[in-house]
Amino acid sequence: MKRKEPDTSEASKMATKKRSHSSIEPSKPEVKALKQYPVSKAATHTTGSSALDTTNPHIGRRTKIAAEAVVVAAEAFPVFKSGRVVIQLCDNPKSVFQLHRAVLERDSSWFAREFAKPSIVKEGTGHKFTLLQSPEHNLPLLTQMGFNYDIKPAILQEQAPSGDGSKSALANMTSQMFTKAPPPLATSQEPQKESSDTATIVDLMSVDAFKKEPSVKVEQQSSATETKGVETAKKALAIQSTISQTDDKKSTKLNQDYQQYVVAHESLLGMYYSKAPKISTTNIECAVGQCEMIVVLARHYESLPIVQPYLGNVLSQYHRQLYTAIAKDPPRWLILSEALESSSIFCEAMIHCAGCYPYSPWITDTKTLPDNLLSIVKTKADGLARLRTETTVELFMNTLKEIKGGADVSLKTSPEAWIAVQIFRDWLGNQARQLRKTNNLHHAEHYRQMRKGGDAYLPAEKVCTLLIDIELQGSLFADTWDDLETDLNLVKDYAKGVVEQITRDNLMVGAEGMGLPYLTCVHVGAEDYPWTEGRGGMLE
């Protein structure tokens, strides 16, 4: 058979070449154009290849996921692209918020009124608020700067790095508010009559006053005039330095207060979006100040119900430290408890205030409380005074009864038992007189001693020794002190029952452990809460 000759035509050659390539190289997948996403620097540094290599579908997928994560992060508090309200707290870009009008209207009546002001809000525009010093309230508060504020340029401008190092208008405004220029130097010369000495002072002020040899251009003067001018200038410079240092301290204090209000505003706005407030969890003294500042702002922006559960939860985490802090300044905490509607803080602070009223040994005077709170304190204090009077009368009526007939013991029928009763009454009378001398009718120590009983007061051994030393005359008391201890203990046991109610400790922490000298038996219930009747607060 004749062998078939190979086809040498061009078509045959191209087909052979195509089959050869198909058997060697795999087919390339179809590459689709990827959507361009803003990619962070972290996403561009991938191992082995570039993150923007669209020829590798796996790398492209990874790039897309990273880019979408950046987009999602941009829609988180405090910057929402869909927000149409810009709030600028200070010159720091991190303190620029882009929030939703609907959220602010929902949680703050103040914002709702601001938005309700006549305006025409165009698409892509919104409202801007800036934190400025309020002369009326004497603290930094948000002020609406205008309507139809262009949102996009504002955010880009705040987030972009400033290369020229120039301050923004808000920074200049803040600097003017919280930096007070030193007053001009006072001189003995008339303003319109500038003498040579005055001219010398002005020239010296234009150079470094602390150099030993200042280069001062002074016209030729006599030696006496020049010396006098230099001395006058030194005095003026000393005055200027003192004024400058004082103003620097005032400026620093004002700036610190301003920053605290910035943080308080950040916490308040965050709570609108269910974010935990920036409050110390390690220092109770710092935490209460931060809570008070947030409460002040929440009252102004009419959003107090929003902050109550957040602040109450933070304070409750301190447990025993919270109640110890309340004991140091109960009136202060009583005011805060009403704002937070915290029943536990209210009860603890009220027990302290009523138990010591009308005295107030704390930093915050009880008499400076709001009228509604002071009225509750007085009512509780009056009830405590009545209980104290009733208890004291009952104690003075303490006596022993005869076994037969049940009559009160007397000197004639039972001299030893009668002596035990008189000793107790004498001790009780001396305690009352001491309290009256020191003007401390709320002192609770002798009541607490009676509650303990036993040898906490009037130990029987010492009483018997005292009676023997007196050397009473007559045979009436001979050999009769053996049963004195038994009779005295009977008197003490009755007194212990009488003082049970007045010595009850209703504090969360022990009154005696903290060394509190006043009674803490005041009962505070839901009917006493000033914010509502018959219902507890946020902290139970």
Side-chain angles (χ1 to χ4, degrees):
M1 180 183 289
K2 186 183 289 186
R3 188 172 54 140
K4 187 177 180 180
E5 297 293 333
D7 189 358
T8 58
S9 62
E10 289 295 329
S12 177
K13 290 179 179 181
M14 291 299 294
T16 304
K17 185 177 180 180
K18 186 175 182 180
R19 285 194 302 270
S20 176
H21 281 224
S22 300
S23 61
I24 296 175
E25 297 181 2
S27 59
K28 293 184 178 181
E30 182 180 356
V31 180
K32 295 182 179 179
L34 294 176
K35 184 178 179 180
Q36 295 297 325
Y37 289 91
V39 183
S40 62
K41 292 182 179 181
T44 60
H45 294 286
T46 56
T47 305
S49 62
S50 172
L52 298 179
D53 184 8
T54 57
T55 61
N56 191 327
H58 300 287
I59 296 177
R61 189 180 300 110
R62 185 165 59 248
T63 303
K64 180 178 179 180
I65 294 174
E68 290 178 345
V70 174
V71 174
V72 172
E75 279 296 308
F77 183 84
V79 176
F80 297 90
K81 285 189 175 181
S82 57
R84 287 294 175 262
V85 181
V86 173
I87 298 178
Q88 189 170 8
L89 300 180
C90 65
D91 198 40
N92 189 343
K94 294 183 179 180
S95 295
V96 178
F97 294 67
Q98 186 174 347
L99 307 177
H100 302 95
R101 172 173 173 170
V103 174
L104 299 178
E105 284 181 327
R106 177 196 66 194
D107 294 339
S108 170
S109 300
W110 183 89
F111 275 108
R113 287 196 302 271
E114 289 293 315
F115 294 140
K117 292 180 178 178
S119 64
I120 302 176
V121 179
K122 301 177 182 179
E123 185 178 356
T125 62
H127 303 274
K128 180 179 180 181
F129 295 84
T130 303
L131 190 64
L132 298 175
Q133 183 74 5
S134 171
E136 180 182 357
H137 301 88
N138 195 27
L139 72 156
L141 295 172
L142 291 176
T143 302
Q144 188 163 198
M145 303 305 294
F147 305 101
N148 297 328
Y149 185 77
D150 193 354
I151 296 295
K152 185 176 180 180
I155 295 298
L156 292 179
Q157 180 181 359
E158 295 298 336
Q159 293 181 347
S162 56
D164 56 353
S166 60
K167 292 184 177 180
S168 66
L170 178 63
N172 295 330
M173 193 178 305
T174 304
S175 176
Q176 294 175 4
M177 286 192 304
F178 293 97
T179 305
K180 185 178 179 182
L185 293 174
T187 60
S188 59
Q189 305 294 337
E190 295 293 333
Q192 64 274 15
K193 296 180 181 180
E194 185 177 49
S195 64
S196 59
D197 291 346
T198 307
T200 305
I201 296 174
V202 174
D203 290 338
L204 283 173
M205 290 295 293
S206 64
V207 299
D208 187 0
F210 299 98
K211 292 182 179 179
K212 293 183 179 180
E213 297 179 358
S215 55
V216 185
K217 296 181 180 179
V218 186
E219 298 180 359
Q220 295 181 353
Q221 301 174 351
S222 62
S223 177
T225 304
E226 183 176 359
T227 303
K228 181 180 178 182
V230 172
E231 292 298 329
T232 307
K234 288 182 178 180
K235 293 180 180 180
L237 289 173
I239 297 174
Q240 177 69 15
S241 177
T242 303
I243 294 174
S244 178
Q245 292 176 3
T246 304
D247 290 334
D248 287 343
K249 292 180 180 179
K250 292 181 179 180
S251 177
T252 301
K253 179 65 168 61
L254 289 172
N255 285 327
Q256 290 176 351
D257 293 342
Y258 181 80
Q259 290 301 323
Q260 291 176 358
Y261 276 104
V262 168
V263 175
H265 275 86
E266 292 177 354
S267 296
L268 179 61
L269 295 175
M271 284 183 278
Y272 292 163
Y273 286 86
S274 302
K275 300 293 182 181
K278 298 179 180 179
I279 298 177
S280 174
T281 57
T282 57
N283 189 328
I284 184 65
E285 295 297 334
C286 180
V288 64
Q290 293 169 333
C291 288
E292 289 172 333
M293 190 170 291
I294 293 176
V295 165
V296 169
L297 298 181
R299 288 187 188 277
H300 174 75
Y301 299 117
E302 300 176 23
S303 53
L304 199 56
I306 302 298
V307 307
Q308 287 171 348
Y310 291 96
L311 304 187
N313 179 64
V314 172
L315 294 176
S316 66
Q317 303 305 314
Y318 281 96
H319 302 293
R320 184 179 179 86
Q321 295 182 44
L322 169 63
Y323 302 111
T324 303
I326 294 175
K328 294 180 180 179
D329 197 357
R332 177 186 184 184
W333 285 92
L334 192 62
I335 296 173
L336 181 61
S337 69
E338 183 189 17
L340 301 183
E341 297 187 4
S342 169
S343 59
S344 60
I345 296 179
F346 178 83
C347 292
E348 194 81 359
M350 180 60 68
I351 292 171
H352 287 285
C353 293
C356 202
Y357 189 82
Y359 311 110
S360 183
W362 309 293
I363 298 176
T364 305
D365 193 347
T366 306
K367 296 179 181 179
T368 61
L369 289 171
D371 292 341
N372 62 327
L373 295 179
L374 185 59
S375 176
I376 300 175
V377 171
K378 290 181 178 180
T379 301
K380 294 297 180 181
D382 291 342
L384 179 60
R386 288 193 297 270
L387 176 61
R388 188 174 57 248
T389 301
E390 294 171 0
T391 302
T392 302
V393 171
E394 187 70 19
L395 289 172
F396 273 109
M397 293 173 63
N398 186 3
T399 187
L400 296 176
K401 300 289 185 178
E402 295 285 355
I403 298 177
K404 294 181 179 180
D408 294 344
V409 295
S410 62
L411 179 61
K412 183 177 180 180
T413 58
S414 302
E416 190 172 355
W418 181 83
I419 286 292
V421 172
Q422 301 310 313
I423 290 175
F424 171 81
R425 291 178 178 175
D426 180 71
W427 174 84
L428 186 61
N430 286 332
Q431 296 297 318
R433 282 191 292 272
Q434 290 297 325
L435 296 180
R436 187 174 295 277
K437 284 182 180 180
T438 58
N439 198 25
N440 187 5
L441 302 179
H442 294 262
H443 196 72
E445 181 61 26
H446 66 289
Y447 292 113
R448 291 169 181 162
Q449 288 178 344
M450 284 185 278
R451 184 195 63 200
K452 295 177 182 178
D455 289 339
Y457 68 106
L458 293 178
E461 183 178 354
K462 291 185 178 181
V463 172
C464 291
T465 303
L466 178 63
L467 291 175
I468 294 174
D469 291 341
I470 294 177
E471 296 183 356
L472 296 175
Q473 301 295 327
S475 61
L476 180 64
F477 301 103
D479 300 327
T480 58
W481 303 125
D482 295 338
D483 295 331
L484 177 64
E485 182 177 355
T486 303
D487 295 333
L488 193 57
N489 285 335
L490 289 175
V491 174
K492 290 181 181 180
D493 289 341
Y494 180 82
K496 185 177 181 179
V498 172
V499 301
E500 180 180 358
Q501 182 179 359
I502 200 171
T503 56
R504 185 179 298 136
D505 188 5
N506 289 330
L507 293 176
M508 296 298 294
V509 291
E512 293 185 71
M514 292 190 294
L516 301 180
Y518 46 85
L519 297 169
T520 57
C521 61
V522 174
H523 171 72
V524 183
E527 66 279 1
D528 301 311
Y529 301 154
W531 53 87
T532 183
E533 185 176 355
R535 181 174 64 87
M538 294 295 175
L539 281 178
E540 295 294 347

